[in-house]
C-alpha cells in the first residue's frame, strides 16, 4: 500500500546535539512538508519542497535544515541552534500544482515523530 | 490561504450531534478540508470540499459551506467515544499549500 512513513516514532536528544528525522513516501507525490505541533498551537510549517533539489522556508525554519535529494525522501535535521525542539513533528506529502488531477485530496500525513530533549 | 480560525474546544454527550465551525479569510480558496487527529497520531483526511460546493454528506459526517460568509462546518451525527480527537480545518488557495486552523479538541462524555 502507498503511504508516508516517519521514523523513529520517539526520539531523544541531548543538549547541543543535531538529530535527523526521516520521512519517506511511495505515493509519487512531488511536494513534501514538515510541520511542528505543540499543545494548543496547531500546526506550524517548518520547511516545504515542491520538487526535487528545491525547498523553501516555512514560518518557523530557524534551527532546522532539510534536503530533498530524492523524490521519495525529505529528512529534517533539528540542529543545536533550535533552542526549544521538544515537540511532535509531522511530515506530509501532496501532488504538486503542476501534476494535480482535477480532484485534489489534500495532504497525506505520516504518523509523526515525538522529539524530546533530555 | 491566510487565516483559518476554529474554536479550540467542544464537549459533547455520546449520541448527540457535534458541530465544529471554521472560518477562513482567503476568498481565493479553492479546496477546503477537514482532518482528524487521534492522540499521538498523524492527521487523517475526513472530507474535502470544492469551494463552490454547499453541502457534502458521508455517512455520519455532513459538511456545510457558506461561501458568502467564508464559513465551513463539520457535523458529526450520533457522536461516539471514538470521535474524541482534534479536528483541523484547512483551506488551499492557488499556491497549493494548505493553511490549517489551530484545531478543535472534541471530548465525548458518557
Amino acid at each position: 500500500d502507498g503511504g508516508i512513513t516517519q521514523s523513529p516514532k520517539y526520539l531523544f536528544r541531548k543538549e547541543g546535539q543535531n538529530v535527523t528525522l526521516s520521512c519517506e513516501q511511495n505515493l509519487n507525490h512531488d511536494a513534501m512538508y514538515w510541520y511542528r505541533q505543540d499543545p494548543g498551537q496547531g500546526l506550524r510549517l517548518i520547511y516545504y519542497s515542491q520538487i526535487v533539489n528545491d525547498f523553501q522556508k516555512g514560518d518557523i525554519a530557524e534551527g532546522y535544515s532539510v534536503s530533498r535529494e530524492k523524490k521519495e525522501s525529505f529528512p529534517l535535521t533539528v540542529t543545536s541552534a533550535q533552542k526549544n525542539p521538544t515537540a511532535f513533528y509531522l511530515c506530509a506529502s501532496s501532488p504538486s500544482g503542476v501534476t494535480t488531477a482535477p480532484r485534489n485530496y489534500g495532504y497525506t500525513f505520516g504518523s509523526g515523530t515525538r522529539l524530546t530533549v533530555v | 490561504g491566510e487565516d483559518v480560525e476554529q474554536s479550540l474546544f467542544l464537549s459533547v454527550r455520546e449520541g448527540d450531534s457535534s458541530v465544529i465551525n471554521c472560518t477562513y479569510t482567503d476568498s481565493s480558496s479553492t479546496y477546503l478540508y477537514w482532518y482528524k487527529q487521534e492522540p499521538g497520531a498523524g492527521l487523517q483526511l475526513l472530507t474535502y470540499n470544492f469551494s463552490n460546493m454547499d453541502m457534502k454528506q458521508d455517512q455520519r459526517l455532513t459538511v456545510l459551506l457558506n461561501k458568502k460568509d467564508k464559513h465551513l462546518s463539520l457535523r458529526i451525527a450520533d457522536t461516539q467515544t471514538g470521535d474524541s480527537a482534534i479536528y483541523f480545518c484547512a483551506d488551499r488557495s492557488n499556491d497549493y499549500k494548505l493553511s490549517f486552523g489551530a484545531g478543535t479538541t472534541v471530548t465525548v462524555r458518557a
Side-chain angles (χ1 to χ4, degrees):
Chain A
D1 286 339
I4 182 166
T5 302
Q6 290 186 241
S7 62
K9 189 169 177 65
Y10 298 96
L11 186 58
F12 298 90
R13 191 194 94 167
K14 292 182 180 178
E15 297 278 354
Q17 268 187 341
N18 292 355
V19 290
T20 298
L21 284 61
S22 170
C23 179
E24 304 275 335
Q25 54 98 1
N26 61 2
L27 299 164
N28 200 33
H29 285 169
D30 289 309
M32 297 186 75
Y33 311 83
W34 274 105
Y35 287 89
R36 171 179 171 141
Q37 186 177 23
D38 295 281
Q41 293 196 41
L43 303 177
R44 292 186 288 169
L45 182 63
I46 306 172
Y47 269 98
Y48 66 100
S49 166
Q50 293 184 313
I51 199 167
V52 175
N53 292 322
D54 189 38
F55 49 83
Q56 286 78 40
K57 292 182 179 179
D59 301 317
I60 56 163
E62 186 175 350
Y64 300 97
S65 66
V66 293
S67 62
R68 187 83 187 279
E69 297 175 3
K70 298 187 300 182
K71 188 176 185 178
E72 301 80 17
S73 179
F74 191 41
L76 173 74
T77 297
V78 183
T79 74
S80 57
Q82 171 48 242
K83 296 307 178 190
N84 184 23
T86 295
F88 190 54
Y89 291 86
L90 286 162
C91 180
S93 69
S94 73
S96 73
V98 174
T99 61
T100 294
R103 288 179 177 269
N104 181 286
Y105 296 92
Y107 294 0
T108 301
F109 281 85
S111 57
T113 293
R114 185 164 299 281
L115 173 63
T116 304
V117 173
V118 296
Chain B
E2 292 293 332
D3 291 327
V4 178
E5 294 190 356
Q6 305 176 235
S7 54
L8 293 181
F9 301 100
L10 176 67
S11 178
V12 62
R13 190 176 304 174
E14 188 175 9
D16 288 351
S17 293
S18 310
V19 179
I20 308 167
N21 294 303
C22 169
T23 57
Y24 60 97
T25 59
D26 190 342
S27 58
S28 69
S29 293
T30 54
Y31 293 85
L32 298 157
Y33 305 86
W34 283 106
Y35 283 87
K36 176 183 180 182
Q37 184 184 32
E38 296 182 358
L43 275 67
Q44 171 195 358
L45 179 66
L46 286 180
T47 182
Y48 67 94
N49 280 61
F50 301 119
S51 59
N52 58 354
M53 289 172 60
D54 293 327
M55 188 182 98
K56 182 174 181 180
Q57 189 161 5
D58 181 10
Q59 299 183 352
R60 293 190 296 119
L61 304 180
T62 302
V63 179
L64 289 175
L65 171 64
N66 181 329
K67 191 175 180 183
K68 173 177 171 288
D69 294 338
K70 300 190 188 70
H71 181 266
L72 184 74
S73 67
L74 173 68
R75 179 178 180 269
I76 306 172
D78 187 24
T79 310
Q80 304 297 308
T81 54
D83 296 323
S84 292
I86 304 175
Y87 292 81
F88 290 93
C89 171
D91 77 333
R92 194 195 85 176
S93 57
N94 293 331
D95 65 358
Y96 301 103
K97 296 207 310 295
L98 297 192
S99 292
F100 290 88
T104 299
T105 299
V106 173
T107 303
V108 181
R109 59 186 192 278

